[in-house]
Amino acid sequence: MRWNLLGMGILMILLVSVASAASPWQQEKPQVGDGKPSFENAERGFQKAKEWFNQTRQKIEEARKQAEEKRFEAWKKHLQAWVEMAKRWVERVQMRVQNMNVGNETKERLMNKLQEIENRLNEIEDEINASQNYTELREVAMEIKGMWGELRQEMRSAAHEYVIEKYDQILERLIQVRDRLEAAGVDVSELDAKISEIEEAVDELESYVGTPEFAEKVREVNQLFREAFEIVKELAREARPEYHTGFVYAHVNGSFELSGNFSMVQIKGEGNVTIPEEVIVTKVDTPGVKMIVAKSNFTASGQGEFRILAHGSGELVLNGEGYYRVKQTPTGPVTDEIEFEGSETVTFG
């Protein structure tokens, strides 16, 4: 019995010690009462705990708002950086367009489009700076995404149109070479067929502007041009003309008058031509081909659309619009294409 009472005493001492020890989390809590069990103490303890809870929740909310504000500012700076990059990109493209060897109409259209884009970028930049929340910023970001896609498509189409315009220029030079070879007496039927094939391919290429298939079609057109130039090389070996005087090559839509002493003249096109019969060497008048080859001292005139090639010395008066290339003297250089509109007089030889 005595040992049982002693054991119970020890047990009571341990329980009291455990009950009086505070856990680590309890040590951080505010004191809630004087230890006396009563409703007032319990209410006071609850209110203090509630106040502590509200304080910690407020700190969490403040921390969250600070984090959101930092993210918002970071996104705003990111979009501002995009606008700056886009502006510099437009500036770079403008410089390239200025240096492009394309017609004034195409160049003006591209520059106007780039100016529209630059103006819109300035508006977007103002919208970004004025945005106050994620919703406004998100709307601007969606607009940027759509605009970037549109911008890339526009520039892709512009680049494709530039390629087609260059092809038209190369094709025109190829036709000039064909005419000169034909005037020299070379059979150009194979080259004619290849030129027709190229014309069809370039016309078809226009329907692929702005599409992913454009690059593949370009490779096909390039191959056709390579084949045409190989034909030209072979024909040039047969011709090898020697120019002892000057010459002129002109394309006119309107009228012309050619006078002088010529070793060879070729007139091709659609319209009415007046020329002395005795100077005509060859005359072709078939569907799709109308050509006169002549030589000697004479004057010829015409009304319509023509390509004129003349070797010798004389004067060519052009009225309407078109272009010409001329070699003024036997030893002088051949000019680049000179465009004209109205009346133009060219002397040579």
Side-chain angles (χ1 to χ4, degrees), residues 100-180:
M100 276 183 178
N101 184 21
V102 295
N104 291 333
E105 183 178 345
T106 300
K107 185 175 292 188
E108 183 178 0
R109 181 178 58 78
L110 291 175
M111 293 301 291
N112 288 339
K113 181 62 181 177
L114 289 168
Q115 186 59 55
E116 290 176 10
I117 293 168
E118 187 175 1
N119 294 340
R120 187 65 194 114
L121 286 171
N122 290 330
E123 293 174 0
I124 288 177
E125 186 175 34
D126 292 338
E127 292 174 13
I128 292 172
N129 294 334
S131 60
Q132 298 295 322
N133 52 59
Y134 270 115
T135 301
E136 295 175 357
L137 207 57
R138 191 177 297 112
E139 290 175 356
V140 176
M142 291 299 294
E143 186 176 2
I144 285 174
K145 184 178 180 181
M147 181 181 177
W148 186 245
E150 179 185 350
L151 181 59
R152 292 178 63 187
Q153 180 63 27
E154 284 285 343
M155 289 302 102
R156 182 185 297 116
S157 298
H160 291 177
E161 290 171 7
Y162 171 71
V163 169
I164 291 176
E165 188 161 343
K166 296 302 293 183
Y167 279 150
D168 288 338
Q169 293 174 2
I170 297 172
L171 183 58
E172 178 62 28
R173 292 292 182 88
L174 186 60
I175 291 172
Q176 292 179 24
V177 171
R178 186 273 315 274
D179 291 345
R180 291 169 64 181

Coordinates of all heavy atoms in Angstrom, one line a residue, residues 100-180:
M100 N 15.9 49.6 -102.2 CA 15.4 48.5 -103.1 C 15.4 49.1 -104.6 O 15.0 50.2 -104.8 CB 14.0 48.1 -102.7 CG 14.0 47.0 -101.7 SD 12.2 46.5 -101.4 CE 12.5 45.2 -100.2
N101 N 15.7 48.2 -105.5 CA 15.7 48.6 -106.9 C 14.3 48.2 -107.4 O 14.1 47.2 -108.2 CB 16.8 47.9 -107.7 CG 16.8 48.4 -109.2 OD1 16.2 49.4 -109.5 ND2 17.4 47.6 -110.0
V102 N 13.2 48.9 -107.0 CA 11.9 48.6 -107.4 C 11.2 49.9 -107.9 O 11.8 51.0 -107.7 CB 11.0 48.1 -106.3 CG1 11.6 46.7 -105.8 CG2 11.0 49.0 -105.1
G103 N 10.1 49.8 -108.5 CA 9.4 51.0 -109.0 C 8.9 51.9 -107.9 O 8.8 51.5 -106.8
N104 N 8.8 53.2 -108.3 CA 8.4 54.2 -107.3 C 7.0 53.8 -106.7 O 6.8 54.1 -105.5 CB 8.3 55.5 -108.0 CG 9.7 56.0 -108.4 OD1 10.7 55.7 -107.8 ND2 9.7 56.9 -109.4
E105 N 6.1 53.3 -107.5 CA 4.8 52.9 -106.9 C 4.9 51.9 -105.8 O 4.3 52.0 -104.8 CB 3.9 52.4 -108.1 CG 2.5 52.1 -107.6 CD 1.6 51.7 -108.8 OE1 2.0 51.9 -109.9 OE2 0.5 51.2 -108.5
T106 N 5.7 50.8 -106.1 CA 5.8 49.8 -105.1 C 6.5 50.3 -103.9 O 6.2 50.0 -102.7 CB 6.7 48.6 -105.7 OG1 6.0 48.1 -106.8 CG2 6.9 47.5 -104.7
K107 N 7.6 51.1 -104.1 CA 8.3 51.7 -103.0 C 7.4 52.6 -102.1 O 7.5 52.5 -100.9 CB 9.5 52.4 -103.5 CG 10.5 53.0 -102.4 CD 11.7 53.6 -103.0 CE 12.6 52.6 -103.7 NZ 13.9 53.2 -104.1
E108 N 6.6 53.4 -102.7 CA 5.7 54.3 -102.0 C 4.7 53.5 -101.2 O 4.4 53.9 -100.1 CB 5.1 55.2 -103.0 CG 4.2 56.3 -102.3 CD 3.5 57.2 -103.3 OE1 3.8 57.1 -104.5 OE2 2.8 58.1 -102.9
R109 N 4.2 52.5 -101.8 CA 3.2 51.7 -101.1 C 3.8 51.0 -99.8 O 3.2 51.0 -98.7 CB 2.6 50.6 -102.0 CG 1.6 49.7 -101.3 CD 1.0 48.7 -102.3 NE 2.1 47.9 -102.9 CZ 2.7 46.8 -102.2 NH1 2.2 46.5 -101.0 NH2 3.6 46.1 -102.8
L110 N 5.0 50.5 -99.9 CA 5.7 49.9 -98.8 C 6.0 50.9 -97.7 O 5.8 50.6 -96.5 CB 7.0 49.2 -99.3 CG 6.8 47.9 -100.1 CD1 8.1 47.4 -100.6 CD2 6.0 46.8 -99.4
M111 N 6.5 52.1 -98.1 CA 6.8 53.1 -97.1 C 5.6 53.6 -96.4 O 5.6 53.9 -95.2 CB 7.5 54.2 -97.8 CG 8.9 53.9 -98.4 SD 10.1 53.3 -97.1 CE 10.3 54.8 -96.2
N112 N 4.4 53.7 -97.1 CA 3.2 54.1 -96.5 C 2.7 53.1 -95.5 O 2.3 53.4 -94.4 CB 2.1 54.3 -97.5 CG 2.3 55.6 -98.4 OD1 3.1 56.5 -97.9 ND2 1.7 55.7 -99.5
K113 N 2.9 51.8 -95.8 CA 2.5 50.8 -94.9 C 3.4 50.8 -93.6 O 2.9 50.6 -92.5 CB 2.6 49.4 -95.6 CG 2.2 48.2 -94.7 CD 0.7 48.3 -94.3 CE 0.3 47.2 -93.4 NZ -1.1 47.3 -92.9
L114 N 4.7 51.0 -93.8 CA 5.6 51.0 -92.7 C 5.3 52.2 -91.8 O 5.4 52.2 -90.6 CB 7.0 51.1 -93.1 CG 7.5 49.8 -93.7 CD1 8.9 50.0 -94.5 CD2 7.7 48.7 -92.7
Q115 N 4.9 53.3 -92.4 CA 4.5 54.5 -91.6 C 3.3 54.3 -90.8 O 3.2 54.7 -89.6 CB 4.3 55.7 -92.5 CG 4.0 57.0 -91.8 CD 5.2 57.4 -90.9 OE1 6.3 57.5 -91.4 NE2 5.0 57.7 -89.6
E116 N 2.3 53.6 -91.4 CA 1.1 53.2 -90.6 C 1.4 52.3 -89.4 O 0.9 52.5 -88.3 CB 0.1 52.4 -91.5 CG -0.5 53.3 -92.6 CD -1.4 52.4 -93.5 OE1 -1.6 51.2 -93.2 OE2 -1.8 52.9 -94.6
I117 N 2.3 51.4 -89.6 CA 2.8 50.5 -88.5 C 3.5 51.3 -87.4 O 3.2 51.1 -86.2 CB 3.7 49.4 -89.1 CG1 2.9 48.5 -90.0 CG2 4.3 48.6 -87.9 CD1 3.8 47.5 -90.8
E118 N 4.3 52.2 -87.8 CA 5.0 53.1 -86.9 C 4.1 53.9 -86.0 O 4.2 54.0 -84.8 CB 6.0 54.0 -87.6 CG 7.0 54.7 -86.6 CD 8.0 55.5 -87.4 OE1 8.0 55.5 -88.6 OE2 8.8 56.2 -86.7
N119 N 3.1 54.5 -86.7 CA 2.0 55.2 -86.0 C 1.3 54.4 -85.0 O 1.0 54.8 -83.8 CB 1.1 55.9 -87.0 CG 1.7 56.9 -87.8 OD1 2.8 57.4 -87.5 ND2 1.1 57.2 -89.0
R120 N 1.0 53.2 -85.4 CA 0.2 52.3 -84.5 C 1.1 51.9 -83.3 O 0.6 51.7 -82.2 CB -0.3 51.0 -85.2 CG -1.2 50.1 -84.4 CD -2.5 50.8 -84.1 NE -3.2 50.1 -83.1 CZ -3.5 50.6 -81.9 NH1 -3.0 51.8 -81.5 NH2 -4.1 49.9 -81.0
L121 N 2.4 51.7 -83.5 CA 3.3 51.3 -82.4 C 3.3 52.4 -81.4 O 3.4 52.2 -80.2 CB 4.7 51.0 -83.0 CG 4.9 49.7 -83.7 CD1 6.2 49.7 -84.4 CD2 4.7 48.5 -82.8
N122 N 3.3 53.7 -81.8 CA 3.3 54.8 -80.9 C 2.0 54.8 -80.1 O 2.1 55.1 -78.9 CB 3.4 56.1 -81.7 CG 4.8 56.3 -82.3 OD1 5.8 55.9 -81.7 ND2 4.9 57.0 -83.4
E123 N 0.9 54.5 -80.7 CA -0.4 54.4 -80.0 C -0.3 53.2 -78.9 O -0.8 53.4 -77.8 CB -1.5 54.1 -80.9 CG -1.8 55.3 -81.9 CD -2.8 55.0 -82.9 OE1 -3.3 53.9 -82.9 OE2 -3.2 55.9 -83.7
I124 N 0.2 52.1 -79.3 CA 0.3 51.0 -78.4 C 1.2 51.3 -77.2 O 1.0 51.0 -76.1 CB 0.9 49.7 -79.1 CG1 -0.2 49.2 -80.1 CG2 1.3 48.6 -78.2 CD1 0.2 48.0 -80.9
E125 N 2.3 52.0 -77.5 CA 3.2 52.4 -76.4 C 2.5 53.3 -75.4 O 2.7 53.2 -74.2 CB 4.4 53.2 -77.0 CG 5.5 53.5 -76.0 CD 6.7 54.1 -76.6 OE1 6.5 54.9 -77.6 OE2 7.8 53.9 -76.2
D126 N 1.7 54.2 -75.9 CA 0.9 55.1 -75.0 C -0.1 54.2 -74.1 O -0.3 54.5 -72.9 CB 0.1 56.1 -75.7 CG 1.0 57.2 -76.4 OD1 2.2 57.3 -75.9 OD2 0.6 57.8 -77.4
E127 N -0.7 53.2 -74.8 CA -1.6 52.4 -74.1 C -0.9 51.6 -73.0 O -1.5 51.4 -71.9 CB -2.3 51.4 -75.0 CG -3.3 52.1 -76.0 CD -3.8 51.2 -77.1 OE1 -3.7 50.0 -76.9 OE2 -4.4 51.7 -78.1
I128 N 0.3 51.1 -73.3 CA 1.0 50.4 -72.3 C 1.4 51.2 -71.1 O 1.2 50.9 -69.9 CB 2.3 49.8 -72.9 CG1 2.0 48.7 -73.9 CG2 3.2 49.2 -71.8 CD1 3.2 48.3 -74.7
N129 N 1.8 52.4 -71.3 CA 2.2 53.4 -70.3 C 1.0 53.8 -69.4 O 1.2 54.0 -68.2 CB 2.9 54.6 -70.9 CG 4.2 54.3 -71.5 OD1 4.9 53.3 -71.2 ND2 4.6 55.1 -72.5
A130 N -0.2 53.8 -70.0 CA -1.3 54.2 -69.3 C -2.1 53.1 -68.6 O -2.9 53.3 -67.7 CB -2.3 54.9 -70.2
S131 N -1.7 51.9 -68.8 CA -2.4 50.7 -68.2 C -2.2 50.7 -66.7 O -1.1 50.9 -66.3 CB -1.9 49.4 -68.9 OG -0.5 49.2 -68.7
Q132 N -3.2 50.3 -66.0 CA -3.2 50.3 -64.5 C -3.4 49.0 -63.9 O -3.2 48.8 -62.7 CB -4.3 51.3 -64.0 CG -4.1 52.7 -64.4 CD -2.8 53.3 -63.9 OE1 -2.5 53.1 -62.7 NE2 -2.2 54.2 -64.6
N133 N -3.8 48.0 -64.7 CA -4.0 46.7 -64.2 C -3.8 45.6 -65.2 O -3.5 45.9 -66.4 CB -5.5 46.5 -63.7 CG -6.5 47.0 -64.7 OD1 -6.5 46.4 -65.8 ND2 -7.3 48.0 -64.4
Y134 N -3.8 44.3 -64.8 CA -3.5 43.2 -65.7 C -4.5 43.2 -66.8 O -4.1 42.8 -68.0 CB -3.6 41.9 -64.9 CG -2.2 41.5 -64.3 CD1 -2.1 41.5 -62.9 CD2 -1.2 41.2 -65.1 CE1 -0.9 41.1 -62.3 CE2 0.1 40.9 -64.5 CZ 0.2 40.9 -63.2 OH 1.4 40.5 -62.6
T135 N -5.8 43.5 -66.6 CA -6.8 43.4 -67.7 C -6.4 44.3 -68.9 O -6.4 43.9 -70.0 CB -8.2 43.8 -67.2 OG1 -8.5 42.9 -66.1 CG2 -9.2 43.7 -68.3
E136 N -6.1 45.6 -68.5 CA -5.7 46.5 -69.6 C -4.4 46.1 -70.3 O -4.3 46.2 -71.5 CB -5.5 47.9 -69.0 CG -6.8 48.5 -68.4 CD -6.5 49.8 -67.7 OE1 -5.4 50.2 -67.6 OE2 -7.5 50.4 -67.3
L137 N -3.5 45.6 -69.5 CA -2.2 45.1 -70.1 C -2.4 43.9 -70.9 O -1.7 43.8 -72.0 CB -1.2 44.8 -68.9 CG 0.3 45.0 -69.2 CD1 0.6 46.4 -69.7 CD2 1.1 44.7 -68.0
R138 N -3.3 43.0 -70.5 CA -3.5 41.8 -71.3 C -4.2 42.2 -72.6 O -3.8 41.5 -73.7 CB -4.4 40.9 -70.5 CG -4.6 39.5 -71.1 CD -5.4 38.6 -70.2 NE -4.8 38.4 -68.9 CZ -5.4 38.9 -67.8 NH1 -6.5 39.6 -67.8 NH2 -4.8 38.6 -66.6
E139 N -5.0 43.1 -72.7 CA -5.6 43.6 -73.9 C -4.6 44.1 -74.9 O -4.6 43.8 -76.1 CB -6.7 44.6 -73.6 CG -8.0 44.1 -72.9 CD -8.9 45.2 -72.6 OE1 -8.6 46.3 -72.8 OE2 -10.0 44.8 -72.0
V140 N -3.7 44.9 -74.4 CA -2.6 45.4 -75.2 C -1.7 44.3 -75.7 O -1.3 44.3 -76.9 CB -1.8 46.5 -74.4 CG1 -0.6 46.9 -75.3 CG2 -2.6 47.6 -74.0
A141 N -1.4 43.3 -74.9 CA -0.6 42.2 -75.3 C -1.2 41.4 -76.4 O -0.6 41.0 -77.3 CB -0.3 41.3 -74.1
M142 N -2.6 41.2 -76.3 CA -3.3 40.5 -77.4 C -3.2 41.3 -78.7 O -3.1 40.7 -79.8 CB -4.7 40.2 -76.9 CG -4.9 39.2 -75.8 SD -4.2 37.6 -76.2 CE -5.4 37.1 -77.5
E143 N -3.3 42.6 -78.6 CA -3.3 43.4 -79.8 C -1.9 43.4 -80.4 O -1.7 43.3 -81.6 CB -3.6 44.9 -79.4 CG -3.7 45.8 -80.6 CD -4.1 47.2 -80.2 OE1 -4.3 47.4 -79.0 OE2 -4.3 48.0 -81.1
I144 N -0.9 43.4 -79.6 CA 0.5 43.2 -80.1 C 0.7 41.9 -80.8 O 1.3 41.9 -81.9 CB 1.5 43.4 -78.9 CG1 1.6 44.8 -78.4 CG2 2.9 42.8 -79.3 CD1 2.4 45.0 -77.2
K145 N 0.2 40.9 -80.2 CA 0.4 39.5 -80.8 C -0.3 39.5 -82.2 O 0.3 39.0 -83.2 CB -0.3 38.5 -79.9 CG -0.1 37.1 -80.4 CD -0.7 36.1 -79.5 CE -0.5 34.6 -80.0 NZ -1.1 33.6 -79.0
G146 N -1.5 40.1 -82.3 CA -2.2 40.1 -83.6 C -1.5 41.0 -84.6 O -1.3 40.6 -85.8
M147 N -1.0 42.1 -84.1 CA -0.3 43.1 -85.0 C 1.0 42.5 -85.5 O 1.4 42.6 -86.7 CB 0.0 44.4 -84.2 CG 0.7 45.4 -85.1 SD 1.0 46.9 -84.1 CE 1.9 47.9 -85.3
W148 N 1.7 41.8 -84.6 CA 3.0 41.2 -85.0 C 2.8 40.1 -86.2 O 3.5 40.1 -87.1 CB 3.7 40.5 -83.8 CG 5.0 40.0 -84.1 CD1 5.5 38.7 -84.1 CD2 6.2 40.8 -84.5 NE1 6.8 38.6 -84.4 CE2 7.3 39.8 -84.6 CE3 6.4 42.1 -84.7 CZ2 8.5 40.3 -85.0 CZ3 7.7 42.5 -85.0 CH2 8.7 41.6 -85.1
G149 N 1.7 39.3 -86.0 CA 1.4 38.4 -87.0 C 1.1 39.0 -88.4 O 1.5 38.6 -89.4
E150 N 0.3 40.1 -88.3 CA -0.1 40.9 -89.5 C 1.1 41.5 -90.1 O 1.3 41.5 -91.3 CB -1.1 41.9 -89.1 CG -1.6 42.8 -90.3 CD -2.5 43.9 -89.9 OE1 -3.0 43.9 -88.7 OE2 -2.8 44.8 -90.7
L151 N 2.0 42.0 -89.3 CA 3.2 42.7 -89.7 C 4.1 41.7 -90.5 O 4.6 42.0 -91.6 CB 3.9 43.3 -88.6 CG 5.2 44.1 -88.9 CD1 4.9 45.3 -89.8 CD2 5.8 44.6 -87.6
R152 N 4.3 40.6 -89.9 CA 5.1 39.6 -90.6 C 4.5 39.2 -91.9 O 5.2 39.0 -92.9 CB 5.3 38.4 -89.7 CG 6.1 38.6 -88.4 CD 6.2 37.4 -87.6 NE 6.9 36.3 -88.2 CZ 6.9 35.1 -87.7 NH1 6.4 34.8 -86.5 NH2 7.6 34.1 -88.4
Q153 N 3.2 39.0 -92.0 CA 2.5 38.6 -93.2 C 2.7 39.7 -94.3 O 2.9 39.5 -95.5 CB 1.1 38.4 -93.0 CG 0.3 37.9 -94.2 CD 0.8 36.6 -94.8 OE1 1.3 35.8 -94.1 NE2 0.6 36.5 -96.1
E154 N 2.5 41.0 -93.9 CA 2.7 42.1 -94.8 C 4.1 42.2 -95.4 O 4.3 42.4 -96.6 CB 2.4 43.4 -94.1 CG 0.9 43.7 -93.8 CD 0.1 44.1 -95.1 OE1 0.8 44.5 -96.1 OE2 -1.1 44.0 -95.1
M155 N 5.1 42.0 -94.5 CA 6.4 42.1 -95.0 C 6.8 40.9 -95.9 O 7.6 41.0 -96.8 CB 7.4 42.2 -93.8 CG 7.3 43.5 -93.1 SD 7.7 45.0 -94.1 CE 6.0 45.6 -94.5
R156 N 6.2 39.7 -95.5 CA 6.5 38.6 -96.4 C 5.9 38.8 -97.8 O 6.5 38.5 -98.8 CB 5.8 37.3 -95.8 CG 6.1 36.0 -96.6 CD 5.3 34.8 -96.0 NE 5.8 34.5 -94.7 CZ 5.0 34.6 -93.6 NH1 3.8 35.0 -93.7 NH2 5.5 34.3 -92.4
S157 N 4.7 39.4 -97.8 CA 4.0 39.7 -99.1 C 4.8 40.7 -99.9 O 5.0 40.6 -101.1 CB 2.6 40.2 -98.9 OG 1.8 39.2 -98.3
A158 N 5.3 41.7 -99.2 CA 6.1 42.8 -99.8 C 7.4 42.2 -100.4 O 7.8 42.5 -101.5 CB 6.5 43.9 -98.8
A159 N 8.1 41.3 -99.7 CA 9.3 40.7 -100.2 C 9.0 39.8 -101.4 O 9.7 39.8 -102.4 CB 9.9 39.8 -99.1
H160 N 7.8 39.1 -101.4 CA 7.4 38.3 -102.6 C 7.1 39.2 -103.8 O 7.5 38.8 -104.9 CB 6.2 37.5 -102.2 CG 6.5 36.4 -101.2 ND1 5.5 35.6 -100.7 CD2 7.7 36.1 -100.6 CE1 6.1 34.8 -99.8 NE2 7.4 35.0 -99.7
E161 N 6.5 40.3 -103.6 CA 6.2 41.2 -104.7 C 7.5 41.8 -105.3 O 7.6 42.0 -106.5 CB 5.3 42.3 -104.2 CG 3.8 41.9 -103.9 CD 3.0 42.9 -103.2 OE1 3.5 44.1 -103.1 OE2 1.9 42.6 -102.8
Y162 N 8.4 42.0 -104.4 CA 9.7 42.5 -104.8 C 10.4 41.5 -105.8 O 11.0 41.9 -106.8 CB 10.6 42.8 -103.6 CG 12.0 43.2 -104.0 CD1 12.4 44.4 -104.6 CD2 13.1 42.3 -103.6 CE1 13.7 44.7 -104.9 CE2 14.4 42.6 -103.9 CZ 14.7 43.8 -104.6 OH 16.0 44.0 -104.9
V163 N 10.3 40.2 -105.4 CA 10.9 39.2 -106.2 C 10.2 39.1 -107.6 O 10.9 39.0 -108.6 CB 10.7 37.8 -105.5 CG1 11.1 36.7 -106.4 CG2 11.6 37.7 -104.2
I164 N 8.9 39.3 -107.6 CA 8.2 39.2 -108.9 C 8.6 40.4 -109.7 O 8.8 40.3 -111.0 CB 6.7 39.2 -108.6 CG1 6.3 37.8 -108.0 CG2 5.9 39.4 -109.9 CD1 4.8 37.7 -107.6
E165 N 8.7 41.6 -109.1 CA 9.1 42.8 -109.9 C 10.5 42.6 -110.5 O 10.8 43.0 -111.6 CB 9.1 44.0 -109.0 CG 9.3 45.3 -109.8 CD 8.8 46.5 -109.0 OE1 8.0 46.4 -108.1 OE2 9.2 47.6 -109.4
K166 N 11.5 42.0 -109.7 CA 12.8 41.7 -110.3 C 12.7 40.7 -111.4 O 13.5 40.8 -112.4 CB 13.7 41.2 -109.1 CG 14.0 42.2 -108.0 CD 14.6 43.4 -108.5 CE 16.0 43.2 -109.0 NZ 16.6 44.5 -109.5
Y167 N 11.9 39.7 -111.3 CA 11.7 38.7 -112.4 C 11.2 39.4 -113.6 O 11.7 39.1 -114.7 CB 10.7 37.6 -111.9 CG 11.4 36.5 -111.1 CD1 10.6 35.8 -110.2 CD2 12.7 36.2 -111.2 CE1 11.1 34.8 -109.4 CE2 13.2 35.2 -110.4 CZ 12.5 34.5 -109.5 OH 13.0 33.5 -108.8
D168 N 10.3 40.4 -113.5 CA 9.8 41.1 -114.6 C 10.9 41.9 -115.3 O 11.0 41.9 -116.6 CB 8.7 42.1 -114.2 CG 7.4 41.3 -113.8 OD1 7.2 40.2 -114.3 OD2 6.6 41.9 -113.1
Q169 N 11.8 42.4 -114.5 CA 12.9 43.2 -115.1 C 13.9 42.3 -115.8 O 14.4 42.6 -116.9 CB 13.7 43.9 -114.0 CG 12.8 45.1 -113.4 CD 13.5 45.7 -112.2 OE1 14.7 45.3 -111.8 NE2 12.9 46.6 -111.5
I170 N 14.2 41.1 -115.2 CA 15.1 40.1 -115.9 C 14.5 39.6 -117.1 O 15.1 39.4 -118.2 CB 15.4 39.0 -114.9 CG1 16.2 39.5 -113.7 CG2 16.3 37.9 -115.6 CD1 16.3 38.5 -112.6
L171 N 13.2 39.3 -117.1 CA 12.5 38.8 -118.3 C 12.5 39.9 -119.4 O 12.7 39.5 -120.6 CB 11.0 38.5 -117.9 CG 10.1 37.9 -119.0 CD1 10.8 36.6 -119.5 CD2 8.7 37.6 -118.5
E172 N 12.3 41.1 -119.1 CA 12.4 42.2 -120.1 C 13.8 42.2 -120.7 O 13.9 42.3 -122.0 CB 12.1 43.5 -119.5 CG 12.2 44.7 -120.4 CD 11.2 44.6 -121.5 OE1 10.1 44.0 -121.4 OE2 11.5 45.2 -122.6
R173 N 14.8 42.1 -119.9 CA 16.2 42.0 -120.5 C 16.4 40.8 -121.4 O 17.0 40.9 -122.5 CB 17.2 42.0 -119.4 CG 17.3 43.3 -118.6 CD 17.9 44.4 -119.4 NE 18.0 45.6 -118.6 CZ 19.0 46.0 -117.9 NH1 20.1 45.2 -117.8 NH2 19.1 47.1 -117.2
L174 N 15.8 39.7 -121.0 CA 15.9 38.5 -121.8 C 15.2 38.6 -123.1 O 15.7 38.2 -124.2 CB 15.3 37.3 -121.0 CG 15.4 35.9 -121.6 CD1 16.9 35.5 -121.8 CD2 14.7 34.9 -120.7
I175 N 14.1 39.3 -123.1 CA 13.4 39.6 -124.4 C 14.2 40.5 -125.3 O 14.3 40.3 -126.5 CB 12.0 40.2 -124.1 CG1 11.1 39.2 -123.4 CG2 11.3 40.8 -125.4 CD1 9.8 39.7 -122.9
Q176 N 14.9 41.5 -124.7 CA 15.7 42.4 -125.5 C 16.9 41.6 -126.2 O 17.2 41.7 -127.3 CB 16.3 43.4 -124.6 CG 15.4 44.4 -124.1 CD 16.0 45.5 -123.2 OE1 17.2 45.7 -123.3 NE2 15.2 46.1 -122.3
V177 N 17.5 40.6 -125.4 CA 18.5 39.8 -126.0 C 18.0 38.9 -127.1 O 18.6 38.8 -128.1 CB 19.2 38.9 -124.9 CG1 20.1 37.9 -125.4 CG2 19.9 39.8 -123.8
R178 N 16.8 38.4 -126.9 CA 16.2 37.6 -127.9 C 16.0 38.4 -129.2 O 16.3 37.9 -130.3 CB 14.8 37.1 -127.4 CG 14.0 36.1 -128.3 CD 13.2 36.7 -129.3 NE 12.4 37.8 -128.8 CZ 11.2 37.7 -128.2 NH1 10.6 36.5 -128.0 NH2 10.5 38.8 -127.9
D179 N 15.5 39.6 -129.1 CA 15.3 40.4 -130.2 C 16.6 40.7 -131.0 O 16.6 40.7 -132.2 CB 14.6 41.7 -129.8 CG 13.2 41.5 -129.4 OD1 12.6 40.5 -129.6 OD2 12.6 42.5 -128.8
R180 N 17.6 41.0 -130.2 CA 18.9 41.3 -130.9 C 19.5 40.1 -131.6 O 20.1 40.2 -132.7 CB 19.9 41.8 -129.8 CG 19.5 43.2 -129.3 CD 20.3 43.6 -128.1 NE 21.7 43.7 -128.4 CZ 22.6 44.1 -127.5 NH1 22.3 44.3 -126.2 NH2 23.9 44.2 -127.8

